[in-house]
């Protein structure tokens, strides 16, 4: 069984059918790039995988666990929030909090989630005095905050922005903002990291620094799904490329098979219409 298994995903907005029965499997440690023209359904598929949109029908399993099917469509927000934690999504427009420093942007979500961890830890402490319980909770919180801090600093080193720890988004370049967005997504240790056109909002000269970080993540066996218009990058980094057109997967296979030996006329036309970039 695949690590991520999507079967017959459908999604409509009003009377417009955007996803028309998507079947997709992703193996653990695999990098899958999704390409296609605007309006083909790429971003909608990514948003449904991340539970930012709810698919109308189909099934999704992650590591053998059913995350979505007909029975789970109307689950409470609290349940959906937990399911979203399996995925990290890096948006094309960064979506950083402008009022927070780089450090706080990265540590905010783990710090918020720590409150629930502390509550669970408190409940596990039975048969001890109030004073002892308070001391244990204090120590637990301090230890967890230290771990969050250490992880943030390690991520800043990974993306090459250690010196920007206390800077604000307005003081960063677009490429730096996107690298911070990647670190923020990684801070929650998602099982699958997703990118929605990670370089589309960047000037060409800033694209390379973001693609370099993504390549380095591949070298660490990260499972990733990347919606991209960078054909050279998709060819270099992907284990598998998915070409979507009109709400369906038109072709799927290795980069060599899809990009160098296309079968579909739609794919041939698409490849002729895009500007090739080497992704370096």
């Amino acid at each position: 069984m695949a690590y991520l298994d999507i079967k017959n995903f459908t999604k409509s907005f009003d009377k417009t059918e955007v996803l028309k029965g998507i079947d997709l499997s992703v193996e653990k440690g695999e990098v899958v790039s999704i390409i296609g023209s605007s309006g083909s359904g790429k971003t909608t598929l990514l948003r449904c995988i991340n539970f930012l949109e709810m698919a109308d029908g189909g099934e999704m399993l992650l590591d053998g666990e059913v995350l979505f099917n007909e029975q789970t469509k109307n689950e409470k927000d609290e349940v959906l929030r937990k399911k979203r934690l399996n995925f990290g999504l890096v948006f094309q427009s960064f979506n950083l909090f402008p009022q927070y420093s780089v450090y706080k942007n990265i540590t905010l979500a783990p710090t918020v989630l720590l409150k629930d961890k502390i509550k669970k830890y408190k409940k596990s402490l039975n048969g001890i005095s109030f004073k002892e319980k308070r001391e244990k909770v204090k120590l637990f919180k301090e230890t967890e905050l230290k771990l969050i801090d250490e992880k943030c600093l390690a991520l800043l080193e990974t993306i090459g922005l250690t010196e920007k720890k206390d800077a604000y988004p307005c003081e960063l370049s677009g490429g730096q903002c996107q690298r911070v967005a990647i670190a923020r997504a990684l801070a929650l240790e998602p099982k699958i990291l997703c990118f929605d056109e990670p370089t589309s909002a960047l000037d060409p000269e800033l694209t390379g620094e973001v693609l370099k970080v993504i390549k380095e993540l591949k070298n660490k066996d990260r499972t990733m799904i990347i919606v991209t218009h960078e054909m050279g990058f998709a060819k270099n980094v992907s284990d598998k490329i998915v070409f979507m057109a009109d709400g369906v997967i038109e072709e799927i296979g290795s980069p060599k098979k899809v990009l160098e030996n296309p079968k579909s006329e739609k794919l041939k036309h698409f490849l002729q219409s895009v500007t090739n970039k080497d992704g370096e």
Side-chain angles (χ1 to χ4, degrees), residues 77-240:
D77 287 344
E78 182 182 354
V79 177
L80 293 177
R81 280 197 296 270
K82 288 181 180 178
K83 289 185 176 182
R84 286 189 192 111
L85 293 176
N86 290 296
F87 306 93
L89 179 58
V90 179
F91 299 90
Q92 55 183 298
S93 54
F94 324 137
N95 285 16
L96 298 179
F97 294 107
Q99 71 272 35
Y100 294 146
S101 67
V102 165
Y103 179 86
K104 191 161 184 180
N105 263 284
I106 296 172
T107 59
L108 182 61
T111 303
V112 170
L113 290 175
L114 177 57
K115 294 177 182 178
D116 287 334
K117 290 178 73 173
I118 292 172
K119 286 179 183 177
K120 289 180 181 178
Y121 181 68
K122 280 182 180 179
K123 289 181 180 179
S124 72
L125 298 175
N126 298 314
I128 60 176
S129 67
F130 173 79
K131 182 179 179 181
E132 188 177 358
K133 187 174 185 177
R134 184 177 61 187
E135 289 300 316
K136 282 184 174 292
V137 169
K138 181 182 177 183
L139 179 60
F140 177 81
K141 181 179 180 181
E142 289 174 350
T143 302
E144 290 294 315
L145 285 173
K146 185 179 178 183
L147 289 173
I148 291 172
D149 176 72
E150 290 172 351
K151 185 185 296 181
C152 176
L153 296 179
L155 286 169
L156 283 171
E157 186 174 352
T158 297
I159 63 173
L161 289 177
T162 301
E163 76 284 358
K164 298 293 185 179
K165 174 188 168 205
D166 298 317
Y168 286 81
C170 64
E171 300 173 306
L172 305 178
S173 70
Q176 290 171 332
C177 283
Q178 192 61 293
R179 283 189 276 161
V180 173
I182 293 171
R184 182 178 62 179
L186 289 170
L188 292 175
E189 298 183 351
K191 292 181 178 179
I192 297 180
L193 188 59
C194 301
F195 296 86
D196 184 15
E197 298 278 15
T199 60
S200 66
L202 303 179
D203 294 331
E205 64 268 24
L206 299 177
T207 294
E209 63 187 65
V210 174
L211 299 184
K212 181 181 176 182
V213 171
I214 298 173
K215 280 187 178 181
E216 289 170 354
L217 292 175
K218 174 183 169 63
N219 294 336
K220 296 177 182 177
D221 292 326
R222 284 273 178 187
T223 307
M224 295 187 280
I225 302 174
I226 307 169
V227 169
T228 182
H229 62 280
E230 299 279 349
M231 295 301 105
F233 170 69
K235 181 179 180 180
N236 291 335
V237 80
S238 307
D239 298 298
K240 184 161 61 186

